[in-house]
Amino acid sequence: MSVQPDHVAPVVIVTLFVVGCAAAVFLLGGWPPQGGRHGSVARSVLAVLAALCVGAAVACLRVGADQATGWLVSHDSLARWELELLGDPTPGERGWSCLGRLRGPGAQTANVWVSAPEELAAFDRLRVVGRFSPNAQDDWGARSARQGVIGRVRVVRILERNEASGPLGRVMGWRRDALARIDPASSDGRALLAATVLGFEPGMAARSLRELFSRAGVAHLVAVSGGHLVILSALMSAPLRRSRLRPKARVGVLTVALGCFVVACGLPLSALRSWAMATVACAGELAGRRSHGLSSLSIVGSAMLLADPGLSGQLGFLLSLCSVAALCVFSPLATHLARRALAGPRRRLEASRSRSVRVASGLVRGGGEILTATLVCQLATLPLTLPAFGELSLVAPVANLMLSLPFSLLVAAGCCAALTCSLPVLGSATLWAAELCARLCLMPLRLLCALPWASLVIPEGLALPPAVCALAAALLWWRWDDVRPTLVARLAAGALALVLSLAIVPFVLSPAEVCVLDVGQGDAILVRDGPHAILVDTGPDASCSRELARLGVLRLDAVVLTHLHADHVNGLRDLAPPLGCGSVVVARGVDDLPADVVASSRRITGRRPRQMSEKDTLKAGAFTLTMIWPTAPVDGKDNEDSIELVVSYEGPAGCMTALLTGDAERDETRRAVRGARLRDIDVLKVGHHGSEASIDPETARILSPDVAVASAGENNKFNHPTRACRETLEGARALFLCTKDQGTIRLRPNARGVVVVSARDGALDGTDVA
């Protein structure tokens, strides 16, 4: 059966298509006539109109087809559909996930997110038993729909699995063998090698290398794209020129070789776009036309969007287009400005008769071109990256400059290693050389990312409107001749000062609050008042560091580790406050500390963690944190060893009392509350993520909290927080909240009680709880 799209009338689609085709026919027929400024403008407007109309019609048809396919999948047995994986599955808490394509019995197709219980390979074709869930009516569902994804398939059981066949299957088989020999899980260098030359990124995700490259502003190097093809082209061009092949044959060999490399990397979109652009440019040159990068980009980009309109919602594709377009349009101006700025030093170097000095002059020129290209790409993509990532790398130009040589060596050595890794002696030697190049890439990145202010997290709600950026680009293009290096330097200094002020002002003027951070299945609580802040636990991974950066925290007075479970301390290894940390604190008796905890403490504070005892206090502005449990030395290895802290505030904002319990449960909390004679508090951070044993009705009645907050991850296997815990606290008339539902929860003292601000539930924002 067929289902018609209910949001776009067919007559609208037909009208758009007819108008677009008519405009294209006029252009091909030579109208408006060329000549004069007005004729050129009219032809440009007509070309844009044709592209917009045809593109809108194709997009409407795609949306209607996706809607129909989604309805069919929801009302059909999933076992009747074939599921093809479109990428390498990435491991997660609930199995392996990637993008896939469903093919129905009636030749219907649609893209879906796939979650599988076991590891699979790219381009595997499956028959499965599972559940299909259409996109929800939320932000994630809207983003998925914009990418042409109709929902998620959760695989319960695999009935049939077939690997890719034909030429693609043979290349994928070679790729699997090469990955097995490289073994990305064995080291950081091998993981980077597999991502660089085979497009296999799950190894980097498993070893937390993505965050390193993102913080340094060089994530584009890992994604196989035009940079890889340029390096490979340079490596292959020299031997091809020495061969007896004719120019057309050389171009053909080079194009086919680059295409094989793109297929071996799993057909990533950025590499496909770059290879298609190179093919179009080569075809133009062979036909006697001069190469024009912007024209090639327009042809390839338009063709890919017409073939799959969902690409318009994929961030990677848009970043790739913006970067290449900016390089085509503004790279000549940026290079000209860089040469003018470096003219004096270069003239002095070139005046020397020393060969080494002349080589230095060439390096200065090459370094300037790399820096300008990096800055052009970074500035052009800011309207997309700031809302998506909320982070601006300040070391990106330096990182790109430092990685230019070792990364080129990595691509060359990595390709040799992938081709020869099956050979006994030569394969081991090339793998060793390629891994050495990968380590040479990682070393400067780690040094740069360890610097204060390596990157700035942009405060929430602050972004560069694309319309403003487009207007600035048009103004720059219009006033091209008036641009001078001194003017650019002043504008850059002003922009940097603005960004720094936007980062510092929220840090200095932040309100007094207790923030239960959304770090998944773990604990991290921030207590801060202005520039003073104390972090209680660090969560299971780098999500704590990202949340602190998002909230504008530049320095921590102390980090308290309630106990040594991984979901409370593992985030310490990724913690890097730009202005440092005062101390790391553990309970009295915790002497046998893990080596990574000690190393992380030395890295951010310069010394080992110190111990605190019952009734010891910590200060953060007008907040006082008093330890009330444990009352005796502990080893920190069990839940009952958790530090429990009473947080009290008396200041201009009002008064507030909170109890932070770590993973302590009802027995420990009951004794701690009785020993401290604690009653009628405002906020309770529920113990052990809201487990059934976290609190008893009597203690809940004594504490009588206005707000109870549990920290737990979505779809966690423990079903935290439990229904029993929720009912116990709601029976004590507490407002029960959880980070898995509300995201980061911020609790601020108020003259009338506590103000609750939630990251996700707008209905809670500004709620007074008394």
mmCIF file of all heavy atoms in Angstrom, residues 686-711:
data_model
loop_
_atom_site.group_PDB
_atom_site.id
_atom_site.type_symbol
_atom_site.label_atom_id
_atom_site.label_comp_id
_atom_site.label_asym_id
_atom_site.label_seq_id
_atom_site.Cartn_x
_atom_site.Cartn_y
_atom_site.Cartn_z
ATOM 1 N N VAL A 686 20.498 12.215 46.530
ATOM 2 C CA VAL A 686 20.138 10.864 46.928
ATOM 3 C C VAL A 686 21.333 9.926 46.795
ATOM 4 O O VAL A 686 22.078 9.973 45.807
ATOM 5 C CB VAL A 686 18.965 10.349 46.066
ATOM 6 C CG1 VAL A 686 18.539 8.961 46.513
ATOM 7 C CG2 VAL A 686 17.801 11.314 46.150
ATOM 8 N N GLY A 687 21.535 9.066 47.780
ATOM 9 C CA GLY A 687 22.664 8.145 47.776
ATOM 10 C C GLY A 687 22.528 7.037 46.753
ATOM 11 O O GLY A 687 21.420 6.610 46.400
ATOM 12 N N HIS A 688 23.657 6.551 46.269
ATOM 13 C CA HIS A 688 23.767 5.399 45.374
ATOM 14 C C HIS A 688 22.792 5.477 44.206
ATOM 15 O O HIS A 688 22.121 4.504 43.863
ATOM 16 C CB HIS A 688 23.572 4.088 46.144
ATOM 17 C CG HIS A 688 24.095 2.897 45.384
ATOM 18 N ND1 HIS A 688 23.743 1.617 45.720
ATOM 19 C CD2 HIS A 688 24.920 2.804 44.303
ATOM 20 C CE1 HIS A 688 24.327 0.771 44.882
ATOM 21 N NE2 HIS A 688 25.065 1.472 44.026
ATOM 22 N N HIS A 689 22.699 6.657 43.594
ATOM 23 C CA HIS A 689 21.944 6.863 42.354
ATOM 24 C C HIS A 689 20.447 6.575 42.492
ATOM 25 O O HIS A 689 19.760 6.365 41.483
ATOM 26 C CB HIS A 689 22.525 6.002 41.223
ATOM 27 C CG HIS A 689 24.009 6.016 41.149
ATOM 28 N ND1 HIS A 689 24.715 7.126 40.742
ATOM 29 C CD2 HIS A 689 24.939 5.072 41.478
ATOM 30 C CE1 HIS A 689 26.021 6.864 40.800
ATOM 31 N NE2 HIS A 689 26.175 5.631 41.248
ATOM 32 N N GLY A 690 19.954 6.556 43.739
ATOM 33 C CA GLY A 690 18.528 6.293 43.922
ATOM 34 C C GLY A 690 18.194 4.820 43.974
ATOM 35 O O GLY A 690 17.107 4.408 43.553
ATOM 36 N N SER A 691 19.096 3.986 44.517
ATOM 37 C CA SER A 691 18.813 2.557 44.641
ATOM 38 C C SER A 691 17.747 2.325 45.703
ATOM 39 O O SER A 691 17.398 3.207 46.492
ATOM 40 C CB SER A 691 20.082 1.787 45.019
ATOM 41 O OG SER A 691 20.478 2.123 46.345
ATOM 42 N N GLU A 692 17.235 1.107 45.735
ATOM 43 C CA GLU A 692 16.171 0.785 46.690
ATOM 44 C C GLU A 692 16.648 0.923 48.125
ATOM 45 O O GLU A 692 15.868 1.246 49.024
ATOM 46 C CB GLU A 692 15.678 -0.643 46.432
ATOM 47 C CG GLU A 692 14.456 -1.019 47.247
ATOM 48 C CD GLU A 692 13.907 -2.375 46.848
ATOM 49 O OE1 GLU A 692 14.427 -2.977 45.892
ATOM 50 O OE2 GLU A 692 12.932 -2.821 47.488
ATOM 51 N N ALA A 693 17.959 0.711 48.333
ATOM 52 C CA ALA A 693 18.504 0.765 49.696
ATOM 53 C C ALA A 693 19.092 2.128 50.024
ATOM 54 O O ALA A 693 19.811 2.272 51.015
ATOM 55 C CB ALA A 693 19.578 -0.310 49.857
ATOM 56 N N SER A 694 18.806 3.156 49.235
ATOM 57 C CA SER A 694 19.468 4.447 49.427
ATOM 58 C C SER A 694 18.976 5.199 50.665
ATOM 59 O O SER A 694 19.752 5.921 51.292
ATOM 60 C CB SER A 694 19.287 5.312 48.174
ATOM 61 O OG SER A 694 17.913 5.535 47.939
ATOM 62 N N ILE A 695 17.724 5.070 51.007
ATOM 63 C CA ILE A 695 17.179 5.839 52.134
ATOM 64 C C ILE A 695 15.942 5.126 52.675
ATOM 65 O O ILE A 695 15.243 4.425 51.923
ATOM 66 C CB ILE A 695 16.832 7.274 51.704
ATOM 67 C CG1 ILE A 695 16.623 8.168 52.930
ATOM 68 C CG2 ILE A 695 15.649 7.318 50.765
ATOM 69 C CD1 ILE A 695 16.592 9.646 52.611
ATOM 70 N N ASP A 696 15.692 5.281 53.976
ATOM 71 C CA ASP A 696 14.504 4.692 54.590
ATOM 72 C C ASP A 696 13.499 5.789 54.928
ATOM 73 O O ASP A 696 13.857 6.972 55.002
ATOM 74 C CB ASP A 696 14.882 3.912 55.858
ATOM 75 C CG ASP A 696 15.589 4.787 56.890
ATOM 76 O OD1 ASP A 696 14.917 5.639 57.504
ATOM 77 O OD2 ASP A 696 16.815 4.620 57.062
ATOM 78 N N PRO A 697 12.221 5.439 55.130
ATOM 79 C CA PRO A 697 11.186 6.458 55.387
ATOM 80 C C PRO A 697 11.464 7.326 56.609
ATOM 81 O O PRO A 697 11.166 8.518 56.598
ATOM 82 C CB PRO A 697 9.916 5.620 55.570
ATOM 83 C CG PRO A 697 10.179 4.354 54.810
ATOM 84 C CD PRO A 697 11.638 4.095 54.973
ATOM 85 N N GLU A 698 12.054 6.738 57.658
ATOM 86 C CA GLU A 698 12.307 7.527 58.863
ATOM 87 C C GLU A 698 13.330 8.628 58.603
ATOM 88 O O GLU A 698 13.143 9.786 58.993
ATOM 89 C CB GLU A 698 12.783 6.608 59.993
ATOM 90 C CG GLU A 698 13.062 7.361 61.297
ATOM 91 C CD GLU A 698 13.659 6.468 62.372
ATOM 92 O OE1 GLU A 698 13.814 5.249 62.126
ATOM 93 O OE2 GLU A 698 13.987 6.996 63.446
ATOM 94 N N THR A 699 14.444 8.278 57.937
ATOM 95 C CA THR A 699 15.462 9.288 57.635
ATOM 96 C C THR A 699 14.907 10.339 56.686
ATOM 97 O O THR A 699 15.195 11.543 56.828
ATOM 98 C CB THR A 699 16.696 8.619 57.010
ATOM 99 O OG1 THR A 699 17.165 7.580 57.869
ATOM 100 C CG2 THR A 699 17.802 9.628 56.786
ATOM 101 N N ALA A 700 14.100 9.905 55.704
ATOM 102 C CA ALA A 700 13.478 10.869 54.789
ATOM 103 C C ALA A 700 12.579 11.829 55.558
ATOM 104 O O ALA A 700 12.539 13.037 55.250
ATOM 105 C CB ALA A 700 12.688 10.131 53.716
ATOM 106 N N ARG A 701 11.855 11.313 56.562
ATOM 107 C CA ARG A 701 10.962 12.185 57.349
ATOM 108 C C ARG A 701 11.775 13.156 58.187
ATOM 109 O O ARG A 701 11.412 14.336 58.322
ATOM 110 C CB ARG A 701 10.068 11.328 58.236
ATOM 111 C CG ARG A 701 9.103 12.131 59.110
ATOM 112 C CD ARG A 701 8.303 11.221 60.015
ATOM 113 N NE ARG A 701 9.159 10.378 60.838
ATOM 114 C CZ ARG A 701 9.781 10.796 61.954
ATOM 115 N NH1 ARG A 701 9.635 12.045 62.358
ATOM 116 N NH2 ARG A 701 10.526 9.960 62.638
ATOM 117 N N ILE A 702 12.905 12.694 58.750
ATOM 118 C CA ILE A 702 13.736 13.578 59.583
ATOM 119 C C ILE A 702 14.364 14.679 58.730
ATOM 120 O O ILE A 702 14.352 15.862 59.107
ATOM 121 C CB ILE A 702 14.834 12.756 60.297
ATOM 122 C CG1 ILE A 702 14.197 11.815 61.327
ATOM 123 C CG2 ILE A 702 15.849 13.682 60.961
ATOM 124 C CD1 ILE A 702 15.187 10.842 61.942
ATOM 125 N N LEU A 703 14.887 14.291 57.579
ATOM 126 C CA LEU A 703 15.525 15.287 56.717
ATOM 127 C C LEU A 703 14.493 16.206 56.063
ATOM 128 O O LEU A 703 14.759 17.397 55.868
ATOM 129 C CB LEU A 703 16.347 14.590 55.629
ATOM 130 C CG LEU A 703 17.598 13.840 56.109
ATOM 131 C CD1 LEU A 703 18.247 13.106 54.949
ATOM 132 C CD2 LEU A 703 18.600 14.801 56.738
ATOM 133 N N SER A 704 13.353 15.649 55.682
ATOM 134 C CA SER A 704 12.264 16.424 55.069
ATOM 135 C C SER A 704 12.782 17.377 53.993
ATOM 136 O O SER A 704 12.544 18.591 54.056
ATOM 137 C CB SER A 704 11.501 17.207 56.149
ATOM 138 O OG SER A 704 10.368 17.837 55.591
ATOM 139 N N PRO A 705 13.494 16.869 52.976
ATOM 140 C CA PRO A 705 14.066 17.761 51.956
ATOM 141 C C PRO A 705 12.983 18.360 51.063
ATOM 142 O O PRO A 705 11.976 17.713 50.775
ATOM 143 C CB PRO A 705 14.987 16.841 51.158
ATOM 144 C CG PRO A 705 14.368 15.484 51.301
ATOM 145 C CD PRO A 705 13.758 15.449 52.669
ATOM 146 N N ASP A 706 13.190 19.595 50.635
ATOM 147 C CA ASP A 706 12.288 20.198 49.658
ATOM 148 C C ASP A 706 12.528 19.600 48.268
ATOM 149 O O ASP A 706 11.584 19.423 47.492
ATOM 150 C CB ASP A 706 12.496 21.713 49.606
ATOM 151 C CG ASP A 706 12.116 22.383 50.910
ATOM 152 O OD1 ASP A 706 11.195 21.887 51.582
ATOM 153 O OD2 ASP A 706 12.753 23.393 51.264
ATOM 154 N N VAL A 707 13.804 19.318 47.946
ATOM 155 C CA VAL A 707 14.179 18.753 46.646
ATOM 156 C C VAL A 707 15.096 17.565 46.883
ATOM 157 O O VAL A 707 16.042 17.662 47.672
ATOM 158 C CB VAL A 707 14.884 19.787 45.747
ATOM 159 C CG1 VAL A 707 15.149 19.196 44.373
ATOM 160 C CG2 VAL A 707 14.080 21.063 45.630
ATOM 161 N N ALA A 708 14.829 16.450 46.207
ATOM 162 C CA ALA A 708 15.706 15.282 46.234
ATOM 163 C C ALA A 708 16.164 15.008 44.806
ATOM 164 O O ALA A 708 15.336 14.909 43.900
ATOM 165 C CB ALA A 708 14.979 14.066 46.805
ATOM 166 N N VAL A 709 17.475 14.902 44.606
ATOM 167 C CA VAL A 709 18.039 14.742 43.266
ATOM 168 C C VAL A 709 18.860 13.463 43.213
ATOM 169 O O VAL A 709 19.746 13.256 44.047
ATOM 170 C CB VAL A 709 18.913 15.944 42.875
ATOM 171 C CG1 VAL A 709 19.433 15.768 41.451
ATOM 172 C CG2 VAL A 709 18.141 17.242 43.002
ATOM 173 N N ALA A 710 18.573 12.627 42.228
ATOM 174 C CA ALA A 710 19.372 11.426 41.974
ATOM 175 C C ALA A 710 20.163 11.620 40.690
ATOM 176 O O ALA A 710 19.702 12.266 39.751
ATOM 177 C CB ALA A 710 18.463 10.199 41.853
ATOM 178 N N SER A 711 21.355 11.046 40.650
ATOM 179 C CA SER A 711 22.206 11.114 39.463
ATOM 180 C C SER A 711 22.291 9.725 38.865
ATOM 181 O O SER A 711 22.826 8.799 39.485
ATOM 182 C CB SER A 711 23.602 11.623 39.826
ATOM 183 O OG SER A 711 24.436 11.662 38.696
#
